Amino acid sequence: MLSAFRYSGQRHNDSLLALGGVRIGTLHDFRRTEHKGGIADANEGIKRVSHHIPYVTEKDVGSIHLEAIKQFKIFNLGDSTDVVLQDIQFIRGFNHPDCFVHCVSAEYSRDVLDQFEEADSCIEITDLGKFYQRLTKTLNRQIPVQLLGVSTVRYMMREEDWNGRNWGVHPALIKEPRFAKQLEIRAIWRPKFSGAISPMVLNDVGLIEFCKRRELPDSKKRRSGSSI
């Protein structure tokens, strides 16, 4: 049973404990600079993957560079012969479509609390799996969605070298290293329709059984598991 922690203003956490009140954000909404410190990130859902080819010919069967040519789809060698490629950089940009997002932290600590501007209260979600199962059902009563997963965020730069197999870390699970102390766990839902989406506030008293108030941490206490 994985637990996690929600650091927020007293009013918002009181609403969760009394009414099951939860705000579901969106990936693109996090880009707005009006959000408080620790939440706003203008590059949410964006990354670039690159690959450099120092030298390759069509005869280099099994080369990662020939595979990159196929995967990046910059051009098609076809049955070409006597081809030499030298000092070429491939770049593919990703801008993930908007989706619904809810975030908590894996750690109960003062270091995490201090990352969020105006956060003065803490709630422990005692069973994160059941909490998000319930929240997914509640969200679907309002709007059709699919839960894509609940995962830890990766803290890294948004420029990624191609790994030779796939496109690497999901762009919706990347945050820059300056946010690393948040130790975020993120639930992501894909809307089952096209068109714009916006943050939602839901009330579901069925969520309350998975939540309990915690005193504000004085120092680093413990770290929960990493993913579901």
Side-chain angles (χ1 to χ4, degrees), residues 3-94:
S3 65
F5 304 89
R6 183 177 189 261
Y7 301 92
S8 185
Q10 186 77 49
R11 177 170 60 90
H12 301 297
N13 276 343
D14 285 349
S15 176
L16 175 55
L17 290 174
L19 303 171
V22 176
R23 183 182 189 274
I24 309 294
T26 74
L27 189 69
H28 291 185
D29 183 67
F30 286 157
R31 298 176 182 177
R32 294 194 302 114
T33 57
E34 299 95 315
H35 283 299
K36 293 182 176 66
I39 298 176
D41 182 353
N43 295 312
E44 281 280 9
I46 295 172
K47 79 167 190 174
R48 297 201 310 173
V49 178
S50 63
H51 180 75
H52 179 250
I53 298 179
Y55 182 91
V56 71
T57 77
E58 89 284 353
K59 298 176 183 179
D60 295 322
V61 178
S63 166
I64 188 175
H65 304 311
L66 290 183
E67 184 62 25
I69 292 170
K70 294 178 183 178
Q71 296 299 323
F72 278 78
K73 299 180 180 179
I74 304 298
F75 50 80
N76 186 356
L77 291 179
D79 297 323
S80 303
T81 59
D82 299 323
V83 174
V84 176
L85 300 177
Q86 186 171 358
D87 196 21
I88 295 177
Q89 184 87 356
F90 292 161
I91 298 175
R92 177 172 175 178
F94 293 82

Side-chain angles (χ1 to χ4, degrees), residues 96-141:
H96 195 271
D98 207 3
C99 51
F100 292 104
V101 177
H102 185 265
C103 309
V104 291
S105 176
E107 189 169 273
Y108 178 64
S109 86
R110 172 64 62 170
D111 285 345
V112 178
L113 173 67
D114 291 344
Q115 293 298 300
F116 299 100
E117 184 181 359
E118 297 184 10
D120 59 1
S121 67
C122 175
I123 284 178
E124 180 177 358
I125 300 173
T126 56
D127 190 326
L128 200 59
K130 290 182 179 179
F131 179 87
Y132 280 128
Q133 288 174 12
R134 176 79 187 201
L135 188 54
T136 299
K137 291 179 181 179
T138 304
L139 187 54
N140 265 298
R141 286 197 288 268

